[in-house]
Amino acid sequence: MILGKVVLVTGVARQLGGRFVRRIQRDPEVDRVVAVDAVPPEHHLGGADFVQADIRQPTIGRVLAEHGVDTVVHLDVTGTPLGSGSRTTLKETNVIGTMQLLGACQKSPAVKRLVVKSSTNVYGSAPRDPAVFTETTPPKSLPSGGFAKDTVEVEGYVRGFARRRPDVAVCVLRFANILGPSADSPLASYFSLPVLPTVLGYDPRLQFVHEDDVIEVLRIASHEPARGTLNSGTFNVAGDGVLLLSQCARRLGRPTVPLLMPAVSWVGSMVRTLGVTDFSPEQLRLLTHGRVVSTVQMRETLGYKPKYTTAETFADFARSRGPGLLPPEALSRAVDRIAALPVLGGGHPPTQSAN
Amino acid sequence: MADAKVIPFDDDRSRAGGGAVQRPQRRRGAGSRLKGEPAVVREVQPLPGRPIKQDDVPVTHEEPEAPEGPQKSQDGGLERRIAGGLAFLRKRLTGDYEVDDFGYDAELTDQVLMSLLRPVYEKYFRVEVKGIENIPSEGGALIVANHSGTLPLDGLMMQVAVHDHHPAGRHLRLLAADLVFMLPVVNELARKAGHTLACAEDAGRLLSRGELVGVMPEGFKGIGKPFGERYKLQRFGRGGFVSTALRQGTPIIPCSIVGAEEIYPMIGNAKTLARLLGFPYFPVTPTFPWLGPLGAIPLPTKWTIQFGEPIPTDGYPPEAAEDPMLMFNLTDQVREQIQHTLYKLLVQRRSVFF
């Protein structure tokens, strides 16, 4: 049988899953794409076979067998519920769904490759952590709940699966905060708030990865490795460079409100109750201590160089969101106007006001 | 104060008077200043005398630094500073600046943080630096120093010393205790000034990038020791800094700091209070906490920072970093060299305050 690959993708009702399905179908070595999700997607899938199945149910095993799937791309590990879903169903999809899917893969002899979308959340965020995480850095404080804990558990199950099925190439991709014009991550909704609450006295370092790069890395991981590279294992995926939260806010043109730690928690739970954004404890920790990962493995082993740096990713995201209350252009024009004032010849050096 | 500063200014004028080329330039400079002044006087009507004085101070202050070109500081000095300041302000307000993976903000450190520390360094502690030539101009190196003074001012002064005196303008990246990164505001400033957590991963990463890394292996044992034990080096941790330097093959530069031990003479330690606050120690000095915040002003001691001869580590095989005996020996060698230099500097010192 000289047939092309059959790729099964989970979580296609989301923007990222839909984009990946449309993209990977155009690859010549891919024969068929089976797109799976519990709810039908609102976007088109470019002619992929959509199968409405809940990965929390054992039916997923039948789908794998029926279509003769050899590559499984598991994207249904997410931090934000789709539509009106609750945190409980989200956690079930993340954890129980992964367990069911891996169980089905273990039974299916045709499966040769597994790609799992994880997150750099697995490292947690603590003041006692080293400044830069590598794939082997043990976290100082394990995430206590929420999406971060889900990813830790998902990765645990994936490691177990890799032990039981050593013939399957397993690739775990730990993505930094995904941003881009259509991003729907918790951090994207945080940056969409008109005024950004921050933690007083902390300026976390953040790292972003662009949606386009996410799609490309997923593609590399789903195919046979190119010459001289290896695409099984665990990889951090992030754009180059670092942005501080204060820089992000200024580049977005959104004012920040520094709050004392307990007040931030209250505001967080209030905002969450209102349903504006997921201001979970782990998100709060990220916005306090920040997180930076090393991408040496991604460059040297996986052989991928991101097209967007962290700053470019953020610029692309900022363009898609429209100007904030304090657009950076207006601010720099204001400074230029001050510079043009004739009286400034003898004024005080304004460096003090920059503090 | 203002009088004392005017002297080099006049001195310069008499010297510049000899050169025909410099004269018109100087006069042009004075002219532009005259143009600027009335505007200021108009702006600040109630105090007509002050702006002129303020105008004078930075100009005369710049002169001793650049005696070769008096026209430079006269002509565009102030305007350039204002323009530079505005450009800086614009960049800060629009977030258009860069930080590295560790959160080090080179621009902020150079233009603001160092300028804030410099008066303390130059005027208050009157730091004298020796052996700056022992720090290589490029490539990684690990500076190992003694630690004292209740508050880590010695680390900051060492950073200013390297920043201001090293001919290649190198930046010192300090390794700090985890407490620094738990405290609000402090952690933010520490990261922006280029400090990072004292752990083997961060130190190794910085050294492999060719940075100059500063470490104080005594840690809290050194900084929180009672006044009676001043200038007695404590145990150097587990010597992790030696194996990190050895793995990277970077030299170790011993550094001895004299003066920091007396800034807060710690005569007691309120251990219960320290435990309550989560600090490793709570200092009790003759003035603190009795005088409140006033008691937290350090004594104006005279400091000396001496950088010693580098100890090379690139001659060892890679597996040497795993050899505990060699690590202990090297740690002892570094420790003894610092202790020895400390005693030597103490003998040379005339008084604690001068």
Side-chain angles (χ1 to χ4, degrees):
Chain A
M1 280 220 303
I2 309 180
L3 270 174
K5 282 160 69 112
V6 180
V7 182
L8 180 131
V9 184
T10 64
V12 297
R14 290 168 188 277
Q15 290 293 336
L16 198 72
R19 267 194 74 181
F20 178 66
V21 168
R22 290 194 292 276
R23 177 66 192 84
I24 197 147
Q25 264 186 326
R26 300 211 307 270
D27 286 342
E29 58 267 55
V30 174
D31 185 48
R32 217 140 50 84
V33 178
V34 182
V36 175
D37 209 320
V39 287
E42 284 167 9
H43 42 258
H44 76 99
L45 293 173
D49 304 339
F50 176 70
V51 178
Q52 185 163 358
D54 192 333
I55 56 167
R56 287 172 293 172
Q57 308 298 329
T59 43
I60 189 73
R62 229 172 31 241
V63 177
L64 281 178
E66 246 170 52
H67 296 270
V69 173
D70 53 38
T71 303
V72 175
V73 182
H74 184 32
L75 302 183
D76 214 347
V77 183
T78 44
T80 40
L82 191 65
S84 58
S86 70
R87 169 72 202 135
T88 326
T89 41
L90 187 73
K91 184 181 169 64
E92 273 197 13
T93 310
N94 286 344
V95 181
I96 309 289
T98 304
M99 283 176 80
Q100 282 285 359
L101 181 71
L102 293 177
C105 290
Q106 199 179 323
K107 287 234 177 65
S108 159
V111 172
K112 288 280 159 274
R113 193 170 285 281
L114 170 70
V115 181
V116 179
K117 168 182 173 272
S118 181
S119 150
T120 55
N121 271 320
V122 294
Y123 298 115
S125 250
R128 302 185 58 183
D129 283 320
V132 182
F133 292 100
T134 63
E135 282 82 351
T136 53
T137 313
K140 283 271 159 38
S141 62
L142 271 172
S144 55
F147 174 56
K149 198 180 181 199
D150 294 359
T151 51
V152 172
E153 286 176 1
V154 164
E155 284 201 9
Y157 294 129
V158 173
R159 269 195 297 279
F161 171 80
R163 267 199 306 277
R164 289 190 292 273
R165 279 289 301 271
D167 58 313
V168 176
V170 177
C171 182
V172 176
L173 298 167
R174 290 177 179 163
F175 292 106
N177 302 293
I178 301 172
L179 280 188
S182 66
D184 58 352
S185 61
L187 205 64
S189 54
Y190 167 75
F191 281 126
S192 306
L193 295 173
V195 176
L196 304 178
T198 60
V199 185
L200 183 73
Y202 292 89
D203 200 357
R205 296 161 297 138
L206 302 173
Q207 238 179 352
F208 307 114
V209 57
H210 196 276
E211 290 166 324
D212 295 3
D213 285 320
V214 173
I215 302 288
E216 280 308 300
V217 172
L218 285 171
R219 262 189 66 224
I220 289 177
S222 326
H223 294 312
E224 288 295 313
R227 185 182 279 274
T229 67
L230 190 69
N231 66 357
S232 53
T234 305
F235 300 98
N236 293 331
V237 183
D240 289 346
V242 168
L243 279 181
L244 298 178
L245 180 59
S246 60
Q247 278 182 294
C248 294
R250 287 170 202 173
R251 288 180 187 202
L252 267 180
R254 290 180 204 272
T256 54
V257 187
L259 299 169
L260 275 172
M261 198 54 191
V264 185
S265 308
W266 300 331
V267 170
S269 56
M270 204 173 73
V271 167
R272 198 157 39 154
T273 320
L274 291 171
V276 184
T277 172
D278 173 47
F279 220 82
S280 57
E282 100 241 4
Q283 168 107 333
L284 199 62
R285 254 198 304 280
L286 172 72
L287 293 178
T288 309
H289 303 296
R291 186 189 307 127
V292 173
V293 297
S294 155
T295 53
V296 173
Q297 290 298 317
M298 173 188 76
R299 293 164 175 287
E300 291 177 1
T301 311
L302 197 62
Y304 183 70
K305 191 185 173 307
K307 283 202 284 287
Y308 292 84
T309 64
T310 286
E312 285 162 2
T313 304
F314 195 77
D316 200 34
F317 169 75
R319 265 196 298 280
S320 71
R321 295 288 142 152
L325 295 172
L326 295 168
E329 298 80 28
L331 282 180
S332 72
R333 266 202 306 279
V335 175
D336 287 340
R337 267 205 296 280
I338 297 173
L341 291 181
V343 289
L344 223 99
H348 313 286
T351 29
Q352 287 99 325
S353 56
N355 299 343
Chain B
M1 197 68 197
D3 279 353
K5 275 187 177 164
V6 173
I7 295 169
F9 175 82
D10 281 337
D11 194 37
D12 244 358
R13 192 204 305 247
S14 61
R15 253 189 291 150
V21 193
Q22 280 178 344
R23 227 183 189 167
Q25 276 166 327
R26 238 202 68 81
R27 216 178 275 141
R28 184 150 41 86
S32 81
R33 242 181 78 214
L34 273 175
K35 251 183 275 160
E37 269 165 15
V40 179
V41 175
R42 242 184 289 126
E43 263 264 293
V44 201
Q45 275 293 347
L47 287 168
R50 264 183 69 194
I52 301 164
K53 249 193 194 163
Q54 271 190 343
D55 198 2
D56 267 4
V57 173
V59 176
T60 48
H61 183 71
E62 273 183 14
E63 290 238 336
E65 285 171 8
E68 302 301 319
Q71 77 279 8
K72 218 162 81 181
S73 47
Q74 284 286 311
D75 194 29
L78 192 61
E79 272 123 274
R80 200 176 311 115
R81 277 180 69 167
I82 289 168
L86 282 171
F88 177 74
L89 184 67
R90 189 195 293 116
K91 274 198 237 164
R92 301 313 293 189
L93 283 178
T94 53
D96 184 22
Y97 51 91
E98 290 197 1
V99 298
D100 77 354
D101 287 355
F102 296 85
Y104 170 49
D105 190 336
E107 194 185 49
L108 186 78
T109 305
D110 280 352
Q111 308 211 12
V112 180
L113 300 179
M114 284 297 137
S115 321
L116 291 175
L117 287 173
R118 200 163 290 125
V120 181
Y121 174 91
E122 284 174 353
K123 302 274 151 47
Y124 201 80
F125 293 129
R126 296 146 290 148
V127 182
E128 190 184 334
V129 180
K130 293 176 175 172
I132 194 87
E133 68 281 355
N134 286 321
I135 300 172
S137 308
E138 54 186 20
L142 186 69
I143 298 182
V144 180
N146 58 319
H147 206 14
S148 60
T150 309
L151 286 182
L153 292 177
D154 48 356
L156 296 175
M157 292 302 117
M158 187 161 81
Q159 190 178 7
V160 180
V162 173
H163 181 268
D164 284 5
H165 294 281
H166 198 274
R170 297 206 67 170
H171 291 283
L172 183 65
R173 308 291 298 263
L174 287 170
L175 301 181
D178 49 3
L179 180 67
V180 167
F181 298 99
M182 288 181 196
L183 298 172
V185 184
V186 175
N187 83 91
E188 188 181 338
L189 288 173
R191 283 247 172 254
K192 286 181 180 173
H195 308 173
T196 192
L197 185 74
C199 61
E201 291 96 329
D202 284 9
R205 188 173 290 277
L206 282 170
L207 286 174
S208 68
R209 294 195 336 184
E211 303 271 5
L212 197 60
V213 179
V215 67
M216 293 161 154
E218 288 175 273
F220 289 127
K221 294 189 298 298
I223 192 169
K225 64 176 179 275
F227 187 61
E229 288 181 28
R230 59 192 183 278
Y231 298 113
K232 282 191 197 125
L233 281 188
Q234 304 295 302
R235 189 166 59 83
F236 264 19
R238 279 160 284 179
F241 68 94
V242 174
S243 53
T244 305
L246 219 105
R247 278 199 191 92
Q248 303 295 335
T250 50
I252 296 173
I253 299 163
C255 172
S256 312
I257 303 172
V258 166
E261 306 256 0
E262 288 100 351
I263 55 171
Y264 296 108
M266 187 163 141
I267 50 171
N269 182 1
K271 286 201 176 106
T272 319
L273 199 55
R275 237 193 329 269
L276 213 65
L277 292 169
F279 294 150
Y281 53 90
F282 190 87
V284 178
T285 73
T287 52
F288 186 82
W290 326 115
L291 300 182
L294 213 67
I297 297 173
L299 296 177
T301 53
K302 161 95 178 131
W303 288 31
T304 308
I305 300 180
Q306 162 120 44
F307 297 98
E309 294 249 338
I311 300 167
T313 64
D314 49 2
Y316 298 96
E319 65 271 16
E322 312 290 337
D323 178 0
M325 221 46 226
L326 179 67
M327 288 309 105
F328 279 127
N329 285 343
L330 269 174
T331 309
D332 275 350
Q333 190 191 338
V334 176
R335 194 170 169 275
E336 256 153 46
Q337 196 170 333
I338 295 171
Q339 181 74 72
H340 209 75
T341 317
L342 277 177
Y343 286 144
K344 220 159 62 190
L345 291 172
L346 282 173
V347 169
Q348 289 168 3
R349 182 165 73 161
R350 278 174 297 157
S351 121
V352 175
F353 296 103
F354 302 104

